[in-house]
Amino acid sequence: MLGSHTYLEFQPTGYLHMASLQSSPAWKALKAHHKKYAGLHMRDLFDADENRFEDFSLCRGGLFLDYSKNRVTKETMSLLIDLAKAADVEGWRRDMVAGEPINTTEDRAALHVALRNPLDHAPMQAMGEDVMPDVRALRIKMRGTADAIRSGAWTGATGSAIAAIVHIGTGGSHLGPEMVTQSLAPVHQSAPGGPAMHFISNVDGVQITTALDGLTPETTLFIVASKTFTTEETITNARTAKAWLVDALGSDAVANHFIAVSGNTQAVADFGIPPDNTFDLWDWVGGRYSVWSAIGLPIAIALGMDVFEEFLAGAHDMDRHFQDAPLDANMPVILGLIGVWNTDFLGSPALAILPYDEGLRGLPDYLRQLEMESNGKALDTKGRPVEVGTAPVIFGDPGTRGQHAFYQALHQGRQLIACDFIAPMESRHTTGSHHDRLLANFLAQTEALMKGRTEAEAVAAMEDQGVASAEMKGQLPHRIFEGNRPSNSIVADKFDAFTLGQLIALYEHKVFVQAVVWGINPFDQWGVEWGKELAAQILFEMEPDSYEAFSQEHCSSTLGLIARLKAHKAKTP
Ligand code: F6P
């Protein structure tokens, strides 16, 4: 049964639907709790409880979550769990896995969990239809294609093996494959690898031109990934790629040099890519949840299908944990609720994603789309305003680069910015003391954010450093850190395909938990549409002979800029 996003109030007769989030008893209890303990400092919480680390941490396989460096007590956590229960997280979780149309505005299921379901498991249904036969066929086709390309059995039009893959896609059809491929790519040059990978996601022609300049048509294979196959940027890049190939090898070469991943098979056929080279994408797979589908084909080509299947297995492991673990011992639930607490009660408008792993440099961008496109919404599923903050601004950089860029603001800025630190205990390289130094920085940052530095500590540090007493007074206020800044530490034994799968699924479910609490649909993205429509209209209006009358609908700023562009274009050869 499909749940409804209303809050539940316990009555002697059972749970009854309530009107809104803020008026729910669970929210009010958290508000009162926050008011009562507003002055709490985490230093004191640690001093008062020697088991705080054990009590506020969770482990699932090779993934460990330490949430003790948050401004929460056991009572806070218990009230947050009450909120999750009142929002019926358990019911929504059931509905998701049952393939109910929880993407209400598009009347679709959101069944990405089926993509990582082991093939010998029970059927999974999207709106009543078993999807596992399609998933099984997909895996077989992906393996066949990846193996053929990697072994050299797949040849280009002139009989040469494929040496380079150019993946063309954007948003959910790009970020996952690039991030995962980067994360798991062999560190040492001597490791056996697949073809060189290039990712084209920007309609700025500089990107595709630069990539094509270094490539040979005879040995290049393009993957055009677009669920809709109408995304202007992707189709423009795909047309440029096709023209480049056809110019060198003729139009018959397209069959050997193009693969498509799309739900719009007609548009793919119209583009000229044969059905054998086309991978289907179903409407129950959302774009930003699609790395587990054939959108992940570049991962299988670059690293092998076995690695891709390990990645799926890790995600499935997290799915099982999310479905089976009680709410108070459930990693995605805890992470999601901590996020709600930080955003709506502590007022943190942002979340910094800080991987201490160079391979994970693409993770902040990946999670930015996942969180902000899913939960960056102001209306609930019933079209009513959500009265509290929803998706925080996601940003980040790998440690230690970020430390020399924006950590100043994390430590001493006026805005409270919550942080997720992500680090592997074991590195994929063995070079000198790099990894120990990296991890020492990770640990130091989380502690500094939590503890801060008192006046006495700042004075002692200055004395140790031999700061002249004349300078001490002026420097002292700037050397004091208030601390009490929340962070999670997510530590993996190491980041291999399995733990990376766990990690991504952890964040997917976290986003889902938050959506349920906020009462919003995380699976649509209407906010992106309007800009796309307007861009198509403006492109037309930028033509030299377009009617001025069309342009009158714009504001004077846009009109002025269009006129300036047209004038510049007229002068440019
Ligand atoms: O940015 C909007 C969006 O629709 C994303 O949700 C999606 O991941 C991306 O565009 C690409 O869409 P498509 O796969 O249809 O080209």
Side-chain angles (χ1 to χ4, degrees):
M1 201 218 38
L2 183 65
S4 71
H5 273 125
T6 46
Y7 281 78
L8 307 171
E9 180 181 29
F10 191 71
Q11 301 281 324
T13 49
Y15 283 94
L16 295 177
H17 290 296
M18 283 278 298
S20 75
L21 174 59
Q22 279 188 304
S23 61
S24 70
W27 194 269
K28 285 182 180 166
L30 277 160
K31 267 278 173 221
H33 172 77
H34 173 250
K35 202 168 163 198
K36 189 167 165 195
Y37 296 105
L40 265 189
H41 198 290
M42 280 188 268
R43 266 184 189 239
D44 301 325
L45 295 176
F46 274 95
D47 286 348
D49 178 8
E50 60 181 19
N51 293 325
R52 186 168 171 84
F53 172 67
E54 285 76 23
D55 291 348
F56 293 84
S57 57
L58 272 181
C59 189
R60 173 72 183 190
L63 211 59
F64 183 83
L65 167 66
D66 167 20
Y67 60 100
S68 62
K69 292 191 186 96
N70 280 287
R71 277 192 226 167
V72 292
T73 61
K74 285 185 183 157
E75 189 186 349
T76 322
M77 292 313 299
S78 156
L79 291 171
L80 284 168
I81 297 293
D82 288 348
L83 178 69
K85 284 188 183 147
D88 198 20
V89 165
E90 286 151 311
W92 282 92
R93 181 177 63 178
R94 231 179 6 254
D95 287 344
M96 178 177 74
V97 177
E100 296 286 352
I102 58 173
N103 176 354
T104 45
T105 57
E106 296 178 304
D107 194 26
R108 291 174 183 170
L111 200 59
H112 38 284
V113 290
L115 294 166
R116 51 245 193 171
N117 197 32
L119 296 181
D120 54 358
H121 267 221
M124 291 196 82
Q125 301 194 333
M127 297 173 71
E129 231 174 85
D130 183 13
V131 300
M132 287 317 291
D134 281 343
V135 172
R136 197 168 292 118
L138 167 72
R139 297 246 191 105
I140 293 168
K141 186 166 172 166
M142 281 180 77
R143 182 175 284 280
T145 305
D147 285 355
I149 294 169
R150 286 171 65 80
S151 69
W154 179 304
T155 55
T158 59
S160 303
I162 299 302
I165 301 287
V166 179
H167 180 271
I168 299 173
T170 193
S173 296
H174 152 244
L175 290 163
E178 182 163 25
M179 182 269 293
V180 176
T181 307
Q182 269 174 358
S183 303
L184 303 176
V187 175
H188 299 289
Q189 292 299 331
S190 56
M197 307 301 293
H198 303 265
F199 292 90
I200 306 297
S201 57
N202 193 339
V203 77
D204 184 335
V206 168
Q207 197 184 23
I208 190 155
T209 308
T210 312
L212 294 180
D213 273 354
L215 295 173
T216 312
E218 287 81 353
T219 56
T220 300
L221 177 68
F222 296 94
I223 301 176
V224 186
S226 174
K227 183 173 168 185
T228 55
F229 223 77
T230 57
T231 302
E232 198 51 41
E233 299 93 314
T234 299
I235 300 308
T236 302
N237 281 325
R239 285 200 195 110
T240 299
K242 186 175 166 188
W244 176 82
L245 183 91
V246 168
D247 193 37
L249 303 177
S251 53
D252 287 351
V254 171
N256 294 57
H257 291 267
F258 270 85
I259 287 176
V261 182
S262 182
N264 186 350
T265 43
Q266 186 55 54
V268 172
D270 293 346
F271 184 87
I273 300 175
D276 278 355
N277 294 9
T278 304
F279 289 80
D280 209 351
L281 201 52
W282 307 283
D283 70 2
W284 46 268
V285 184
R288 54 195 170 274
Y289 300 87
S290 65
V291 64
W292 324 100
S293 70
I295 291 289
L297 184 63
I299 305 166
I301 296 172
L303 307 166
M305 189 64 187
D306 289 348
V307 173
F308 186 68
E309 290 195 335
E310 266 296 291
F311 176 60
L312 299 181
H316 176 70
D317 181 70
M318 187 53 68
D319 295 341
R320 292 257 44 104
H321 168 74
F322 179 51
Q323 284 166 54
D324 300 339
L327 296 186
D328 60 0
N330 194 307
M331 239 190 237
V333 173
I334 301 279
L335 203 57
L337 293 174
I338 295 268
V340 170
W341 174 251
N342 287 338
T343 303
D344 295 327
F345 295 90
L346 304 189
S348 168
L351 174 65
I353 301 292
L354 308 168
Y356 277 66
D357 182 310
E358 183 62 22
L360 289 178
R361 62 190 175 279
L363 188 69
D365 282 4
Y366 181 84
L367 295 183
R368 185 173 59 192
Q369 189 204 14
L370 179 64
E371 297 224 6
M372 295 180 76
E373 200 166 82
S374 295
N375 285 344
K377 292 164 191 167
L379 298 181
D380 72 8
T381 51
K382 292 196 162 52
R384 301 170 303 195
V386 183
E387 298 142 329
V388 299
T390 55
V393 175
I394 304 282
F395 71 103
D397 233 343
T400 56
R401 272 201 296 282
Q403 289 176 203
H404 301 281
F406 55 83
Y407 278 42
Q408 166 62 36
L410 303 184
H411 286 286
Q412 288 187 312
R414 289 277 296 173
Q415 310 260 49
L416 183 75
I417 298 176
C419 301
D420 282 0
F421 287 83
I422 299 163
M425 290 199 283
E426 197 182 309
S427 172
R428 291 185 302 122
H429 71 84
T430 49
T431 317
S433 63
H434 286 256
H435 198 58
D436 284 348
R437 289 173 192 278
L438 182 70
L439 294 188
N441 274 280
F442 143 60
L443 293 168
Q445 292 296 333
T446 66
E447 177 149 316
L449 286 164
M450 184 281 281
K451 269 185 156 173
R453 188 153 65 177
T454 63
E455 183 173 340
E457 288 165 349
V459 169
M462 282 192 285
E463 282 168 0
D464 273 1
Q465 291 160 13
V467 176
S469 48
E471 285 164 25
M472 273 200 191
K473 197 165 167 238
Q475 286 188 11
L476 182 59
H478 304 285
R479 286 179 174 257
I480 295 170
F481 292 63
E482 67 182 7
N484 216 14
R485 303 201 168 212
S487 70
N488 295 300
S489 296
I490 300 173
V491 180
D493 289 353
K494 60 178 175 182
F495 277 118
D496 54 15
F498 190 88
T499 41
L500 186 60
Q502 283 184 305
L503 181 75
I504 303 305
L506 165 65
Y507 274 95
E508 284 182 353
H509 295 318
K510 168 215 154 166
V511 166
F512 180 65
V513 168
Q514 293 185 327
V516 172
V517 169
W518 288 323
I520 57 189
N521 174 9
F523 300 114
D524 61 12
Q525 57 282 320
W526 297 101
V528 190
E529 297 304 321
W530 174 220
K532 282 189 196 170
E533 285 168 32
L534 210 48
Q537 186 187 326
I538 289 175
L539 181 66
F540 174 69
E541 289 162 354
M542 281 165 57
E543 291 298 316
D545 51 358
S546 73
Y547 285 115
E548 287 295 322
F550 278 103
S551 304
Q552 299 313 317
E553 290 168 15
H554 299 299
C555 64
S556 62
S557 160
T558 310
L559 280 176
L561 290 168
I562 293 176
R564 205 172 156 77
L565 287 168
K566 279 171 109 167
H568 185 78
K569 219 168 153 187
K571 289 193 304 214
T572 320

